[in-house]
């Protein structure tokens, strides 16, 4: 008796994400820095719980380790939630939708003379009396919604794209931005907490040594913790402050870095409520958006699709094999957008994407893996 | 099904009702997909989920404008209800934060509840309004909430007899 193996949709998703737990967990491909983050947090806290907490619980208050545990649990929960969840990935357009959009574009552009570059694919929409340009994504074959951007590391368009964070091993977008913010905020508090109580511990020890004529050495771990906390403090607290500023203005890191809403001749931010409290409430207390990627849905044989693109079958096979190329990111915060200038779709055939190059050279037809996969349920005859 | 009108001209005389397609399953088995129409998002109010109510020309001979607009407006209302920022969303957010979001393992978020309502509404609309006219609406969530996909079906019995408006759509 051979059991039928069910193929779930996450196995056929294009993009460079890795999935765990049968599609429940979704992360970027490079996870090295994420493991470092885990190691630093768990390592430092373990040292704190092992060496400082017994002393402080006895000599000061047992509430200190209790609060530290709660804070640690909160930090880990927020980190894992940020890292493992779908940041708001927009699925690629299926062939019919892509063709429909192409036809609309051709109709809008009219006749382009041979040898001439076609005009850039941009749609203008009016949002709250400001004109916002929507760019066309050649990889995903859609006009990106406002505030969405294409992450070249994960090779996905992400809604309300903030940045790709290697420390959490995932993009930060609409769905996980608040968890990311709470992670940085709680990590700042935890770092300050551990740093402060390390100092208190050292002071108390020396005080006791002085008054009780006892010699006891400050453990080396305390010194280690102080060092880690000191360096972490500057970066994490700074990052929390930066994101608090962004939230109060209802901006994303991507928009801030590109200067979308700054400058005299630029458009004012049409998404801001012009009120700090309202902006904070919208970002932090807004609705919890669902994932539109049905990762755990079961793949079915699509018998109604009239598409005849043979390339799609070949490219589906290609996309299901993990691509061996890895794009190592060296910069800590990498806002990414993949726009091709006004490149013709037929120019270039490179499939390697480097993180720093802004130009996309992928031709849309042969390598697009957004096909409807036929016959995916592997049924064994019994 | 045997009483279905065979030619396009006969069909256009009917008041937008095909007797053969009174069942969604019959639609899939007895008709072939002719075309798909995509209703795009309307971003004039920002990033909230809202679809354009502009009536596409491809559907002109298939369905009344008011029925179509009512469907889209109803969907827009549902999405507005899901994304409303107010007392309930704050309460849900704060409660979830206090339980480090573990509460979502037990209860459904408001958005998910509304999505279920939307799914039921679309099913009902398909059964009552769209399938009898040879159309089928796909839930926007299956298309990344980017478009409302309306599939236009043609009766398999009528070969080559396009009703003119649905097959050759090359922009307006």
């Amino acid at each position: 008796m051979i059991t039928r193996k069910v193929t779930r949709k996450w196995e056929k998703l294009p993009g460079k994400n890795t999935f765990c737990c049968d599609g429940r967990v979704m992360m970027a491909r490079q996870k090295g820095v994420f493991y470092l983050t885990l190691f630093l947090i768990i390592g430092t806290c373990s040292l704190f719980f092992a060496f400082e907490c017994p002393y402080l619980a006895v000599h000061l208050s047992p509430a200190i380790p209790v609060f530290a545990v709660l804070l640690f649990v909160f930090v880990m929960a927020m980190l894992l939630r940020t890292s493992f969840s779908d940041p708001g990935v927009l699925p690629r357009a299926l062939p019919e939708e892509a063709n429909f959009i192409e036809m609309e574009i051709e109709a809008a552009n009219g006749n382009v003379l041979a040898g001439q570059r076609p005009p850039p694919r941009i749609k203008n929409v009016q949002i709250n009396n400001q004109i916002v340009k929507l760019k066309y994504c050649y990889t995903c074959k859609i006009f990106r919604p406002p505030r969405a951007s294409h992450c070249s590391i994960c090779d996905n368009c992400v809604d309300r794209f903030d940045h790709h964070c290697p420390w959490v091993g995932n993009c930060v977008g609409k769905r996980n931005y608040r968890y990311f913010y709470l992670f940085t905020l709680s990590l700042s508090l935890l770092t300050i907490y551990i740093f402060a109580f390390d100092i208190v511990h050292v002071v108390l020890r020396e005080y006791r040594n002085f008054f009780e004529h006892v010699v006891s050495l400050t453990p080396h771990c305390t010194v280690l913790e102080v060092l880690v906390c000191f360096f972490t403090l500057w970066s994490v607290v700074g990052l929390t402050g930066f994101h608090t500023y962004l939230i109060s203005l209802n901006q994303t890191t991507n928009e801030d870095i590109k200067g979308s809403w700054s400058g005299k001749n630029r458009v004012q931010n049409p998404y801001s409520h012009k009120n700090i409290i309202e902006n904070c409430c919208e970002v932090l207390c807004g609705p919890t958006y669902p994932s539109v990627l049905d990762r755990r849905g079961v793949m079915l044989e699509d018998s109604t699709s009239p598409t005849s693109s043979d390339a799609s079958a070949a490219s589906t096979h290609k996309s299901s094999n993990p691509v061996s190329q890895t794009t190592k990111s060296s910069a800590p915060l990498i806002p990414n957008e993949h726009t091709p200038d006004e490149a013709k779709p037929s120019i270039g055939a490179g499939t390697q994407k480097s993180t720093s190059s802004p130009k996309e050279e992928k031709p849309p037809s042969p390598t697009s893996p957004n096909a409807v996969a036929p016959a995916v349920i592997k049924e064994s005859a019994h | 099904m045997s009483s279905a009108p065979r030619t396009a001209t006969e069909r256009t005389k009917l008041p937008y009702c095909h007797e053969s397609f009174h069942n969604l399953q019959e639609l899939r088995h007895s008709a072939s997909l002719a075309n798909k129409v995509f209703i795009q998002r309307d971003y004039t109010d920002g990033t909230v989920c809202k679809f354009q109510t502009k009536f596409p020309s491809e559907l002109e001979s298939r369905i009344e404008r008011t029925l179509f607009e009512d469907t889209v407006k109803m969907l827009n209302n549902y999405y507005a209800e899901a994304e409303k920022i107010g007392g309930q969303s704050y309460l849900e957010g704060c409660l979830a934060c206090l339980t480090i979001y573990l509460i979502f393992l037990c209860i459904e978020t408001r958005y998910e509840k509304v999505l279920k309502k939307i799914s039921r509404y679309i099913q009902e609309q398909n059964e009552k309004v769209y399938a009898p006219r040879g159309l089928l609406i796909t839930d926007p969530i299956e298309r990344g909430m980017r478009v409302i996909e309306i599939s236009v079906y043609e009766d398999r019995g009528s070969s080559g007899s396009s009703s003119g408006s649905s097959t050759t759509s090359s922009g307006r």
Side-chain angles (χ1 to χ4, degrees), chain A residues 228-251:
Chain A
V228 171
C229 289
F230 184 74
F231 289 111
T232 310
L233 252 177
W234 295 112
S235 47
V236 176
V237 171
L239 191 66
T240 309
F242 175 62
H243 279 282
T244 311
Y245 161 76
L246 288 180
I247 289 175
S248 64
L249 294 178
N250 203 334
Q251 270 188 31

Side-chain angles (χ1 to χ4, degrees), chain A residues 73-74 77-78 81 90-94 96-97 100-101 103-104 107 123 125-128 134 142-147 174 178-179 182 271 273 281-282 284-292 304 306, chain B residues 28 33 36-41 43-47 58 82-86 89-90 92-94 97-98 100-102 104 109-112 115 141-147 149 153 169-172:
Chain A
V73 166
F74 191 79
M78 291 301 107
R81 186 112 194 170
L90 297 169
R92 299 187 185 191
L94 293 176
E96 295 107 355
E97 191 188 335
F100 185 84
I101 296 175
M103 289 197 310
E104 269 192 345
K123 243 192 213 179
V125 290
Q126 194 178 52
I127 301 178
N128 290 334
L134 303 186
I142 55 170
F143 275 100
R144 286 187 209 121
R147 315 193 92 175
K174 181 165 84 168
R178 79 188 63 177
Y179 310 129
L182 289 174
Y271 313 108
H273 299 277
C281 287
E282 188 200 309
L284 298 175
C285 302
T288 38
Y289 298 96
S291 172
V292 296
T304 60
Chain B
R28 290 198 177 100
L33 185 64
K36 286 191 183 184
V37 181
F38 296 93
I39 311 299
Q40 305 285 339
R41 282 271 293 269
Y43 294 116
T44 50
D45 285 340
T47 49
E58 292 93 336
E83 297 192 10
K84 198 170 71 145
I85 301 172
S89 79
Y90 295 153
E92 193 182 64
C94 291
C97 185
L98 288 173
I100 53 173
Y101 298 94
L102 290 174
F104 290 145
T109 64
R110 189 162 64 123
Y111 212 114
E112 283 165 358
L115 285 179
I141 194 111
E142 292 175 30
R143 297 290 177 262
M145 286 175 46
R146 271 197 316 268
V147 287
E149 183 184 292
Y153 287 88
S169 61
S170 54
R172 282 133 242 129

Side-chain angles (χ1 to χ4, degrees), chain A residues 29-341:
Chain A
R29 197 163 281 181
Q30 301 92 357
K31 297 184 275 289
V33 188
F34 169 67
Y35 294 138
L36 176 66
T37 310
L38 276 179
F39 173 74
L40 283 173
I41 297 175
I42 295 175
T44 313
C45 291
S46 310
L47 290 178
F48 182 72
F49 292 134
F51 295 99
E52 261 76 27
C53 283
Y55 187 92
L56 292 168
V58 165
H59 289 93
L60 272 186
S61 163
I64 294 170
V66 169
F67 191 70
V69 167
L70 291 175
L71 206 48
F72 170 71
V73 166
F74 191 79
V75 167
M76 288 306 296
M78 291 301 107
L79 172 63
L80 296 179
R81 186 112 194 170
T82 310
S83 303
F84 293 166
S85 59
D86 170 10
V89 171
L90 297 169
R92 299 187 185 191
L94 293 176
E96 295 107 355
E97 191 188 335
N99 288 338
F100 185 84
I101 296 175
E102 288 276 346
M103 289 197 310
E104 269 192 345
I105 294 172
E106 274 165 32
N109 287 346
N111 282 327
V112 178
L113 298 174
Q116 232 183 29
R117 267 193 195 157
R121 296 184 171 192
I122 290 181
K123 243 192 213 179
N124 287 325
V125 290
Q126 194 178 52
I127 301 178
N128 290 334
N129 299 320
Q130 312 271 2
I131 301 287
V132 173
K133 291 185 190 310
L134 303 186
K135 291 185 182 160
Y136 182 77
C137 181
Y138 283 90
T139 312
C140 304
K141 298 211 173 45
I142 55 170
F143 275 100
R144 286 187 209 121
R147 315 193 92 175
S149 194
H150 191 94
C151 175
S152 58
I153 301 175
C154 301
D155 202 21
N156 290 316
C157 270
V158 177
D159 209 353
R160 203 187 183 278
F161 180 74
D162 195 82
H163 66 284
H164 181 98
C165 187
W167 298 99
V168 303
N170 204 358
C171 285
V172 177
K174 181 165 84 168
R175 292 192 71 240
N176 64 354
Y177 184 63
R178 79 188 63 177
Y179 310 129
F180 175 76
Y181 179 72
L182 289 174
F183 165 64
T184 56
L185 184 65
S186 54
L187 186 61
S188 306
L189 291 175
L190 183 65
T191 311
I192 293 172
Y193 192 84
I194 293 181
F195 188 73
F197 280 106
D198 278 350
I199 305 292
V200 165
H201 177 224
V202 169
V203 164
L204 273 183
R205 252 187 209 269
E206 299 310 310
Y207 183 81
R208 285 192 67 218
N209 291 350
F210 181 76
F211 279 103
E212 293 173 16
H213 305 289
V214 166
V215 175
S216 69
L217 297 168
T218 309
H220 294 297
C221 347
T222 311
V223 176
L224 187 65
E225 285 165 46
V226 168
L227 274 176
V228 171
C229 289
F230 184 74
F231 289 111
T232 310
L233 252 177
W234 295 112
S235 47
V236 176
V237 171
L239 191 66
T240 309
F242 175 62
H243 279 282
T244 311
Y245 161 76
L246 288 180
I247 289 175
S248 64
L249 294 178
N250 203 334
Q251 270 188 31
T252 64
T253 307
N254 197 26
E255 287 163 357
D256 187 70
I257 287 182
K258 290 197 308 196
S260 305
W261 318 123
S262 59
K264 287 178 196 164
N265 299 326
R266 299 280 198 139
V267 179
Q268 298 297 310
N269 187 356
Y271 313 108
S272 169
H273 299 277
K274 313 285 185 223
N275 178 341
I276 291 178
I277 309 255
E278 275 191 53
N279 284 337
C280 291
C281 287
E282 188 200 309
V283 176
L284 298 175
C285 302
T288 38
Y289 298 96
S291 172
V292 296
L293 288 183
D294 184 18
R295 285 167 282 163
R296 291 188 40 80
V298 176
M299 289 290 294
L300 296 170
E301 183 170 358
D302 191 354
S303 53
T304 60
S305 167
T307 56
S308 57
S309 51
D310 294 328
S312 57
S315 56
T316 314
H317 172 73
K318 183 176 159 194
S319 68
S320 61
N321 296 328
V323 179
S324 58
Q325 63 192 10
T326 49
T327 50
K328 287 272 179 214
S329 55
S330 51
L333 293 179
I334 303 168
N336 285 291
E337 186 183 359
H338 231 67
T339 47
D341 294 337

